[in-house]
Amino acid sequence: MKKDKILVIGACGQIGVELTLALRKMYGDANVVASDLREEHDLLKGTGPYVSLDVMNKEMLHVLVIRHNITQIYLLAAILSATGEKNPLLAWHINMQSLLNVLDIAKEENLDKIYWPSSIAVFGPNSPAAETPQHTIIEPTTIYGISKFAGERWCEYYNHRFGVDVRSLRYPGLISYKSAPGGGTTDYAIEIFHEAKEHKKYSSFLSEDTYLPMMYMPDAIRATIELMEADASKIAIRSAYNLSAMSFSPKEIGAEIKKHIPEFTMSYAPDYRQQIADGWPNSIDDSQARQDWGWKPEYDLARMTEDMLKNI
């Protein structure tokens, strides 16, 4: 029986650290190879194999896949929304070419499964803002969103044209305490907890009533693994599934924190990220994921806030 051997690219990022640890728990430490351009994350040290890898170097990636008998790849390396706007051409190049390198190697080596994350950034100001459906107008206005939308089309193409079993989720904003965020527009929802604990105050770069879809990292990790573990016959969407857990505004998360830290105060100084957020949905319809492979979130705002403040 063929043993699964998993490569996680971008393992030191916000999602990568926790996903790598979860996969090692499931598949065995030696069977999950973590890789990144960065130095190995402290939480990964001593938990399994780690290699320095530039996903843009296709030959190097191909050799690694063959040498380690890789059967699945999780590609998490990307330049995110706020960072991408500072250098759009670089963001496009890295986000696109990394995916094409992985898809091409998956086709050539007949790999079992590929995971690549999409984002709510694929939606734009012309998409329905409330309960944004799985199939709708998709006209992203950020380079991150444009690259994710193009990536979804490539995933579907490689699946239909070459039979590559590639799966994807449109992540909402992700909140975690174990690893730092990577330059996204929803990062305020992580920064606020650190500032609340350290300084009892926070200045939000989004306005008080900016509602965005959000998810606590344990739910995101579980959703990713449940999608990848589902039988291929259940995966009806080969672009990317809508995924949802909760929606809230900076004002609401501030009020929730205040229940635990009464002296906490908030101010608002919207910057360039406000314009990005204004083009995104305020809530997501993920009924297709619930129907196809049984997705169901476990954390709401109150439960997440309590856990974040306990752990950071």
Side-chain angles (χ1 to χ4, degrees), residues 80-152:
L80 304 185
S81 58
T83 310
E85 290 307 294
K86 294 172 184 172
N87 196 336
L89 290 179
L90 179 69
W92 169 261
H93 178 57
I94 287 175
N95 293 354
M96 275 296 86
Q97 197 57 53
S98 59
L99 175 61
L100 290 170
N101 286 352
V102 168
L103 289 173
D104 223 34
I105 290 167
K107 179 190 77 168
E108 287 176 44
E109 298 301 328
N110 199 25
L111 301 186
D112 290 350
K113 286 181 220 170
I114 301 297
Y115 179 76
W116 172 82
S118 188
S119 164
I120 58 164
V122 297
F123 301 116
N126 296 322
S127 308
E131 292 296 305
T132 310
Q134 177 70 47
H135 300 287
T136 188
I137 295 165
I138 294 188
E139 296 174 354
T141 53
T142 63
I143 197 64
Y144 179 62
I146 291 166
S147 69
K148 286 298 182 185
F149 181 45
E152 288 186 9

Side-chain angles (χ1 to χ4, degrees), residues 151-162:
E152 288 186 9
R153 307 321 313 146
W154 277 116
C155 287
E156 192 165 80
Y157 178 79
Y158 266 78
N159 175 258
H160 289 166
R161 179 84 171 76
F162 305 115

